[in-house]
Amino acid sequence: MSHQCADEHANHGGHGHGHGHGHGHDHDHDHDHGEDEGGEEWSLYQHVDSAGARILNGSPGSEISNILRPWHQRLSPDLPTVVSDADEQLLIYLPFTSVVRIKSIALHGVGGARNPARLKCFVNKESMDFGTADSTTPTQEWQLVAAGAEASVAEYKTKFTKFQNVQSLWLYVDENFGDDATEVMYLGLRGDFTTHKREVVETVYEVRPTAAKNSLANATNSQIM
């Protein structure tokens, strides 16, 4: 069932950037109802090049495999999560081993103030950092619901014509519901793939040039090698 979000999101300060909500965000989303049927439609995680995936500003131990997992494990409470480090922001890079088409995205938090509140996605941009993510118009963005960890997973539909020939995807969580850290429990991608292989591109990844985040660039385990 698709419906309009009615959640009011808190204003957050102290991070040197605005968190306004008057930008024409997408609010429509569906919820799963606990069924595991249709899980094959959420199998795009199998087409992510895990060796090239990155999580910027992830705390130690925050690996992409923690959250990018099979549909039937989406609400497993015993599995590890991804937690932001220096502040509430997370920037996730997913390169694909083949060209994919993405119909919906699920980003499920642990509930409460640590839940991600807004998601921006950028298609086929090989190199981004927090500065370019803040200054670049996203392919699409969504205001996220403040669901608890045990709640059904909300599915955010893409503007499908813009997610047709996806070779890589950046996901940018730039705010949550008020905590200093954001915690993600599950990341799901619904769609299909083609047999075309993506081109390999040499890329340099940078984080925002702040002392806290620069110190994490080499030390964090969240950058999967």
Side-chain angles (χ1 to χ4, degrees):
M1 59 178 181
S2 182
H3 58 275
Q4 294 294 109
C5 289
D7 301 284
E8 293 293 332
H9 304 297
N11 293 324
H12 315 301
H15 298 285
H17 48 272
H19 284 166
H21 297 287
H23 304 291
H25 313 302
D26 293 312
H27 295 265
D28 287 342
H29 59 274
D30 294 322
H31 289 271
D32 78 81
H33 301 283
E35 307 93 339
D36 285 331
E37 292 82 356
E40 67 278 358
E41 295 185 358
W42 292 90
S43 63
L44 287 185
Y45 72 93
Q46 299 177 4
H47 299 277
V48 171
D49 177 8
S50 58
R54 299 288 187 274
I55 299 177
L56 303 186
N57 194 39
S59 61
S62 291
E63 301 184 356
I64 194 63
S65 59
N66 294 3
I67 57 174
L68 197 66
R69 55 183 188 244
W71 175 250
H72 69 273
Q73 295 180 339
R74 63 195 181 280
L75 296 176
S76 299
D78 298 328
L79 295 178
T81 60
V82 163
V83 183
S84 65
D85 198 349
D87 58 20
E88 80 279 18
Q89 298 187 335
L90 284 167
L91 188 57
I92 301 170
Y93 176 63
L94 302 179
F96 296 94
T97 56
S98 59
V99 177
V100 302
R101 295 178 292 191
I102 301 174
K103 300 177 182 178
S104 302
I105 296 172
L107 190 71
H108 194 66
V110 296
R114 282 193 164 200
N115 248 40
R118 181 166 62 183
L119 172 66
K120 299 179 181 181
C121 282
F122 306 84
V123 170
N124 295 340
K125 292 188 178 297
E126 292 291 340
S127 180
M128 295 196 77
D129 56 26
F130 287 94
T132 55
D134 281 330
S135 61
T136 302
T137 300
T139 305
Q140 190 172 351
E141 66 179 90
W142 301 262
Q143 293 298 140
L144 309 183
V145 296
E150 298 180 358
S152 60
V153 173
E155 173 184 351
Y156 300 93
K157 295 181 179 179
T158 66
K159 297 175 180 176
F160 193 44
T161 57
K162 296 185 177 181
F163 288 78
Q164 289 288 311
N165 298 298
V166 181
Q167 299 184 52
S168 65
L169 182 69
W170 287 92
L171 301 99
Y172 180 33
V173 175
D174 65 340
E175 59 185 65
N176 60 21
F177 287 93
D179 200 276
D180 291 336
T182 295
E183 187 168 1
V184 176
M185 183 176 183
Y186 171 75
L187 169 61
L189 303 171
R190 185 171 72 88
D192 51 39
F193 67 96
T194 73
T195 57
H196 300 296
K197 298 295 183 180
R198 71 185 297 271
E199 296 179 1
V200 177
V201 179
E202 290 292 331
T203 309
V204 176
Y205 300 91
E206 299 180 34
V207 296
R208 178 184 296 153
T210 62
K213 286 185 178 177
N214 277 341
S215 66
L216 292 169
N218 295 320
T220 182
N221 292 328
S222 65
Q223 297 195 7
I224 313 300
M225 299 305 292

